[in-house]
């Protein structure tokens, strides 16, 4: 992009502006639940891969996986933001939830 002006005495060279590139490493459409387009409009209407409604145990497991997935993603994004260009690529390990999606 452009260069950032240095607010010193004017003798210092300009410093290139850093750009953080964030990639989850997950192909589009393979993200876990909890994102727009992945969840049904009504909470509690999630279904398994066969299209059948989840029972209470499966729904509880799905809620736990979605919550943890969000926590981990926010935490890793914070590392990426803090490390800037020095941070490596974010890498995740996944489990498949009762709805067939990866978390």
């Amino acid at each position: 992009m452009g260069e950032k002006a240095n607010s010193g005495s004017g003798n210092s060279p300009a410093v290139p502006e850093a750009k953080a590139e964030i990639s989850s490493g997950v192909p589009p459409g393979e993200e876990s639940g909890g994102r727009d387009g992945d969840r049904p409009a009504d909470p509690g209407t999630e279904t398994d891969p066969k299209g059948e409604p989840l029972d209470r145990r499966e729904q509880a497991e799905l809620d736990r996986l979605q919550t943890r997935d969000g926590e981990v993603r926010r935490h890793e994004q914070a590392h990426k933001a803090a490390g800037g260009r020095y941070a490596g690529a974010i890498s995740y390990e996944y489990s498949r939830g009762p709805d067939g999606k990866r978390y």
Side-chain angles (χ1 to χ4, degrees):
M1 200 166 217
E3 294 204 342
K4 196 179 208 177
N6 203 350
S7 61
S9 62
N11 296 337
S12 299
V15 178
E17 196 174 296
K19 287 172 51 176
E21 187 174 317
I22 300 172
S23 171
S24 68
V26 179
E30 286 291 314
E31 294 91 358
S32 66
R35 295 192 177 38
D36 292 338
D38 283 341
R39 295 181 88 185
D42 296 326
T45 60
E46 283 88 355
T47 60
D48 65 13
K50 296 177 186 175
E52 297 182 17
L54 300 178
D55 64 29
R56 282 200 309 224
R57 182 189 57 78
E58 292 170 325
Q59 185 61 51
E61 175 70 4
L62 181 60
D63 292 342
R64 185 189 68 77
L65 286 169
Q66 289 174 338
T67 299
R68 184 65 180 143
D69 183 69
E71 291 169 353
V72 169
R73 288 179 186 276
R74 284 188 297 277
H75 180 85
E76 293 304 318
Q77 290 294 339
H79 280 292
K80 184 72 174 175
R85 65 183 179 165
Y86 300 107
I90 296 173
S91 177
Y92 298 107
E93 292 181 21
Y94 295 92
S95 296
R96 196 155 304 272
D99 59 352
K101 296 179 184 167
R102 297 181 335 163
Y103 297 91

